């Protein structure tokens, strides 16, 4: 278990050391050298302001936005969420300056785009310099799979059968592209435009590919951008988060209401248009970058490190064999399918608390009170709610006309090892199936037990 969590963390201040499948055309070290040395902003992977604050061991100030400030005041408890930080309170860094606390550009973006929230300042006093090891959610597939296998008896046989059928259906539909991605990872290049279009089609069947696609493009934009805005942030030791935010909201309608990367799948022509609108000079090379980088990351995150990438095919219906050869992919697929089961809202804490407990144990053993998103150190940082050796204080904050934050009211609350409730709205296919089942099963005049699209929309907005 510990080895799996170690594998899922990245430390950009030390050489790459993960075990990866054999026969890949490029190693993790090859890519690390390219990203750090051959991109305009690659130096920020090692020497960014957030990493320097972690290893400095001084008190850290973090910004969190909440819609539940009254509930926190009343209960005197702070709960954490799941997502890319597994089980930590999602924050961004604050820099202490004479004028006040300056938000990291990620925090500035959130403050501007979420006006209905209350900003909170958290002061974390570490007991020692913090290891700059960030959790990379793209590498959590093996942990998702192990968690499912441990708790699958909480599901009915019908529910388990449905999950397996859904995974196999996704693999059957996307299997040809998954094999293309592996061939590219071992050095057999596909035309970039063809690769992107096949990727776009495959995301519908394997939503994890949408997350890979988005993270690859985020990395490309942040490391290659040369705009004055990006240079200004780089001078402050920060990667430019506004770039990928603009990409996400331009690429997917309604992303501002539900940030769901399972819907991120622009085709080649659209991809080029999107990048041209953000930074024209980066458009000509983007498709080739995605082809190379996504193929490599897919092989690393999908396959077990013991595998030879040339010997694996996803055009197979043997789920047992695929669990052994590609536990990372099967785990990611199960994780994303199970969230849409009708009973998952009740079972959510059973599955997700198990992973959070493991993450908290790992972070505590490694001396990490403030884990961060290690796909790339872009400023997504959290607070470990059960770290026993670092006191935390918190304030409701006010922002002045220059953008600086100031403590306004100390909030007397404590972190608790509870996960905030989470619910995934039904996907389009679930909505269609539910409507069809309702029409077929109910006689005229019988009230449908299936929520209508309007009531579901009301639930989302609430």
């Amino acid at each position: 278990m510990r080895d799996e969590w170690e594998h899922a963390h990245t430390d950009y201040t030390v050489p790459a050391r993960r075990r990866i499948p054999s026969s890949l055309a490029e190693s993790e070290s090859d890519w690390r050298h390219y990203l750090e040395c051959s991109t305009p902003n690659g130096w920020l992977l090692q020497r960014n302001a957030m990493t320097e604050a972690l290893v400095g061991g001084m008190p850290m100030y973090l910004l969190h936005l909440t819609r539940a400030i009254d509930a926190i005041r009343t209960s005197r408890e702070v709960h954490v969420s799941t997502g890319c930080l597994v089980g930590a309170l999602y924050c961004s860094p604050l820099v202490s300056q004479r004028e006040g606390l300056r938000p990291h550009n990620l925090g500035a973006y959130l403050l501007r785009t979420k006006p209905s929230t209350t900003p909170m300042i958290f002061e974390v006093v570490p007991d020692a310099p913090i290891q700059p090891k960030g959790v990379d959610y793209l590498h959590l597939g093996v942990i998702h799979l192990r968690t499912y296998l441990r708790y699958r008896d909480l599901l009915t046989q019908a529910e388990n059968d449905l999950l397996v059928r859904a995974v196999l259906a996704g693999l059957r539909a996307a299997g040809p592209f998954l094999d293309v991605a592996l061939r590219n990872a071992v050095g057999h290049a596909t035309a970039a435009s063809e690769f992107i279009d096949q990727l776009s089609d495959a995301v519908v069947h394997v939503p994890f590919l949408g997350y890979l696609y988005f993270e690859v493009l985020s990395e490309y934009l942040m490391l290659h951008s040369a705009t004055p805005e990006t240079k200004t942030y780089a001078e402050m030791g920060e990667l430019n988060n506004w770039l990928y935010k603009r990409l996400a909201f331009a690429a997917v309608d309604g992303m501002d209401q539900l940030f769901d990367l399972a819907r991120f799948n622009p085709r080649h022509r659209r991809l080029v248009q999107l990048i041209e609108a953000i930074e024209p000079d980066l458009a000509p090379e983007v498709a080739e970058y995605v082809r190379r980088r996504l193929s490599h990351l897919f092989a690393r995150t999908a396959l077990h490190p013991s595998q030879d990438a040339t010997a694996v095919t996803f055009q197979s219906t043997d789920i047992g064999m695929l669990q052994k050869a590609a536990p990372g992919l099967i785990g990611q697929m199960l994780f994303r399918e199970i969230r849409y089961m009708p009973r998952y809202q009740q079972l959510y804490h059973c599955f997700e608390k198990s992973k959070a407990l493991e993450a908290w144990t790992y972070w505590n053993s490694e001396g990490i009170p403030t884990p961060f998103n290690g796909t790339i150190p872009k400023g997504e940082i959290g607070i470990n709610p059960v770290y026993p050796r670092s006191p935390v204080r918190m304030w409701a904050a006010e922002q002045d006309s220059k953008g600086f934050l100031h403590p306004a009211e100390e909030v007397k609350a404590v972190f608790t090892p509870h996960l905030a409730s989470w619910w995934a709205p039904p996907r389009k296919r679930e909505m269609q199936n539910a409507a069809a089942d309702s029409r077929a099963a109910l006689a005229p005049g019988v009230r449908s037990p299936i929520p209508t699209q309007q009531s579901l929309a009301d639930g989302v907005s609430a």
Side-chain angles (χ1 to χ4, degrees):
M1 182 181 77
R2 179 179 174 78
D3 288 345
E4 292 172 356
W5 284 101
E6 180 71 22
H7 184 82
H9 282 72
T10 304
D11 183 347
Y12 285 96
T13 68
V14 299
R17 54 192 177 193
R18 281 192 184 93
R19 289 182 59 218
I20 65 172
S22 59
S23 298
L24 299 187
E26 297 162 303
S27 69
E28 186 177 9
S29 295
D30 293 335
W31 269 105
R32 181 79 69 82
H33 183 268
Y34 169 77
L35 296 175
E36 290 181 358
C37 302
S38 300
T39 65
N41 307 309
W43 61 275
L44 286 166
L45 291 174
Q46 283 195 46
R47 302 189 301 280
N48 60 83
M50 184 181 71
T51 296
E52 291 176 353
L54 290 169
V55 301
M58 300 298 290
M60 295 188 67
Y61 295 92
L62 304 177
L63 165 67
H64 172 71
L65 300 182
T66 182
R67 292 186 175 90
I69 187 65
D70 290 335
I72 293 172
R73 289 189 183 109
T74 301
S75 68
R76 298 195 172 190
E77 292 185 351
V78 177
H79 296 180
V80 298
S81 60
T82 55
C84 66
L85 295 176
V86 185
L89 186 75
Y90 184 93
C91 301
S92 61
L94 291 166
V95 180
S96 181
Q97 296 183 348
R98 184 175 59 184
E99 302 94 326
L101 293 168
R102 177 182 62 77
H104 185 284
N105 73 83
L106 172 60
Y109 172 88
L110 295 173
L111 285 165
R112 181 176 297 184
T113 57
K114 298 183 182 298
S116 61
T117 59
T118 299
M120 294 188 70
I121 296 168
F122 287 81
E123 178 191 64
V124 182
V125 182
D127 57 315
I130 302 169
Q131 292 195 66
K133 298 169 72 170
V135 59
D136 184 342
Y137 77 95
L138 299 176
H139 282 86
L140 293 178
V142 172
I143 295 168
H144 293 321
L145 176 59
R146 175 167 52 75
T147 303
Y148 163 72
L149 294 174
R150 179 186 295 171
Y151 294 109
R152 62 182 168 183
D153 287 340
L154 297 176
L155 306 176
T156 66
Q157 186 61 51
E159 288 170 332
N160 277 299
D161 290 346
L162 180 64
L163 281 177
V164 172
R165 286 199 301 271
V167 170
L168 288 175
L171 290 170
R172 278 195 297 271
F177 169 75
L178 301 180
D179 284 358
V180 166
L182 285 186
R183 288 198 297 272
N184 278 265
V186 300
H188 303 289
T190 302
S193 59
E194 177 185 347
F195 181 92
I196 299 299
D197 286 344
Q198 291 180 4
L199 167 63
S200 175
D201 293 338
V203 169
V204 177
H205 307 290
V206 180
F208 175 60
L209 292 172
Y211 292 75
L212 272 179
Y213 192 4
F214 177 75
E215 294 295 352
V216 165
L217 285 171
S218 298
E219 175 188 84
Y220 178 74
L221 288 169
M222 286 187 287
L223 295 183
H224 290 82
S225 175
T227 65
E229 174 188 70
T230 297
K231 291 178 180 178
T232 297
Y233 293 140
E235 290 172 358
M236 296 186 287
E238 301 174 4
L239 289 163
N240 184 358
N241 288 259
W242 292 69
L243 297 165
Y244 67 82
K245 296 290 188 181
R246 292 169 184 144
L247 172 69
F249 295 125
V252 181
D253 291 339
M255 194 69 110
D256 57 331
Q257 300 175 12
L258 176 64
F259 199 89
D260 181 8
L261 294 177
R263 301 184 296 150
F264 185 86
N265 65 336
R267 297 178 69 80
H268 176 259
R269 183 177 179 183
R270 179 60 176 153
L271 170 64
V272 174
Q273 291 173 341
L274 288 166
I275 303 303
E276 283 179 339
I278 295 169
E279 191 164 344
D281 289 347
L282 300 184
E285 303 298 326
V286 64
E288 178 62 15
Y289 184 89
V290 171
R291 181 195 70 79
R292 287 181 55 219
R293 183 62 169 153
L294 187 140
S295 297
H296 174 79
L297 282 180
F298 172 73
R300 271 180 39 198
T301 57
L303 302 185
H304 191 275
S306 66
Q307 296 297 303
D308 183 333
T310 62
V312 176
T313 177
F314 289 99
Q315 298 186 62
S316 169
T317 58
D318 186 342
I319 191 69
M321 181 276 291
L322 288 173
Q323 283 183 13
K324 294 178 181 178
L329 178 63
I330 302 303
Q332 294 282 6
M333 293 181 71
L334 283 166
F335 170 63
R336 284 168 174 78
E337 283 296 330
I338 199 172
R339 293 190 301 174
Y340 293 100
M341 295 180 61
R343 284 203 309 130
Y344 191 63
Q345 191 172 4
Q346 290 76 49
L347 297 175
Y348 158 76
H349 288 279
C350 300
F351 287 90
E352 298 310 312
K353 186 65 168 288
S354 173
K355 285 177 274 193
L357 285 167
E358 291 182 4
W360 297 335
T361 299
Y362 175 82
W363 293 335
N364 284 4
S365 70
E366 293 293 302
I368 301 176
T370 50
F372 64 92
N373 182 356
T375 55
I376 188 171
K378 56 188 175 181
E380 293 182 316
I381 189 169
I383 299 176
N384 172 357
V386 293
Y387 191 78
R389 302 184 297 276
S390 290
V392 179
R393 295 177 66 188
M394 62 195 79
W395 297 265
E398 293 179 348
Q399 188 176 25
D400 65 26
S401 60
K402 295 182 179 180
F404 291 93
L405 289 169
H406 306 273
E409 169 207 351
E410 185 163 7
V411 178
K412 296 295 185 180
V414 296
F415 279 92
T416 61
H418 295 293
L419 301 179
S421 297
W422 181 92
W423 177 66
R427 292 171 295 187
K428 184 177 181 180
R429 73 183 188 213
E430 273 77 11
M431 295 294 298
Q432 292 171 337
N433 291 343
D437 291 345
S438 177
R439 288 193 298 269
L442 297 175
V446 178
R447 180 176 175 83
S448 170
I450 306 294
T452 65
Q453 186 162 354
Q454 181 59 48
S455 65
L456 285 170
D458 292 343
V460 173
S461 64

